[in-house]
Amino acid sequence: MTETNFSPFPILATEHLILRQLEATDDQDIFTHRQNERVNMYVDDFRHASVTQSQAFIDRVLNEISLGKTLLWVLNVKGSNKFIGTVCLWNISWNEGTAETGYTLEPAFHGRGYMNEALAKTIEFGFNIMKLRSIDAYTHENNDSSIRLLIRNNFKPGVPKKPVSSNRVYFCLTREAYGIFK
């Protein structure tokens, strides 16, 4: 397994998006995003009560990035610096070769294929650069869009590897299911 401290932070590009590092100056965007009712519909403990809480979140994520435990990208449409969401690989276990993925998107950008692009690029990075063996995902049982997104990207349903809320479903994508056999 190739360990990395993610320095310099990997900036990724898709056809329509730039996936860039979270920055301290994203605090207001993170706060506003985490206040959105539609963004909060299927997540628990996601809402921030203040910009100060968003700043603490950013500090924690940046620290976890420096320790090689998390990668969190901010999504921007190419040609714009507007925050539209996030995608991450977190709970990275270098010993087991695993990570979890998670993602959120501003509702105004739903239905445009952006999250599919971002997740596909994140998966590619996880398997080809990080050499992960598998990527896990947990989503709400009623979040049909998220479930379709995971299935579209070859994730398979399974038995959760850790205790989760009864309304969560587990999916996993292995290197083999992704098409890497060594």
Side-chain angles (χ1 to χ4, degrees):
M1 180 77 36
T2 302
E3 247 181 274
T4 180
N5 63 2
F6 308 125
S7 180
F9 187 86
I11 297 170
L12 308 177
T14 70
E15 181 180 355
H16 300 103
L17 302 172
I18 298 295
L19 285 65
R20 66 163 174 84
Q21 184 170 6
L22 178 68
E23 299 171 354
T25 56
D26 292 314
D27 58 349
Q28 186 61 54
D29 287 329
I30 292 289
F31 175 69
T32 302
H33 185 65
R34 286 179 167 244
Q35 290 298 306
N36 187 292
E37 291 301 322
R38 285 192 58 203
V39 171
N40 277 281
M41 185 179 299
Y42 297 115
V43 292
D44 299 324
D45 301 321
F46 190 73
R47 190 179 307 276
H48 285 173
S50 66
V51 173
T52 302
Q53 189 176 2
S54 297
Q55 292 165 338
F57 166 79
I58 291 169
D59 290 344
R60 180 179 57 81
V61 169
L62 293 176
N63 183 57
E64 289 178 6
I65 290 169
S66 73
L67 297 172
K69 295 180 178 182
T70 294
L71 280 168
L72 185 138
W73 288 274
V74 168
L75 308 180
N76 296 131
V77 175
K78 282 185 176 175
S80 169
N81 288 327
K82 180 172 176 48
F83 174 101
I84 68 164
T86 62
V87 64
C88 68
L89 291 171
W90 67 297
N91 281 342
I92 297 168
S93 170
W94 294 107
N95 291 336
E96 295 178 23
T98 62
E100 286 182 45
T101 190
Y103 38 83
T104 62
L105 190 65
E106 282 291 314
F109 295 90
H110 287 184
R112 299 184 189 185
Y114 290 151
M115 191 51 71
N116 189 59
E117 279 187 35
L119 182 60
K121 189 57 120 175
T122 303
I123 292 165
E124 177 186 313
F125 184 87
F127 287 131
N128 292 333
I129 304 301
M130 295 172 64
K131 308 297 184 198
L132 294 173
R133 292 186 195 114
S134 66
I135 299 173
D136 299 331
Y138 295 85
T139 193
H140 192 281
E141 65 188 355
N142 295 329
N143 191 341
D144 295 334
S145 295
S146 181
I147 291 169
R148 281 192 307 271
L149 175 68
L150 292 169
I151 291 169
R152 187 178 309 120
N153 282 279
N154 296 317
F155 282 78
K156 304 293 183 225
V159 176
K161 295 179 180 178
K162 63 183 183 181
V164 294
S165 302
S166 61
N167 63 7
R168 299 282 169 221
V169 291
Y170 167 77
F171 287 82
C172 182
L173 178 60
T174 63
R175 288 178 69 76
E176 294 78 16
Y178 183 69
I180 300 175
F181 297 100
K182 45 180 165 166

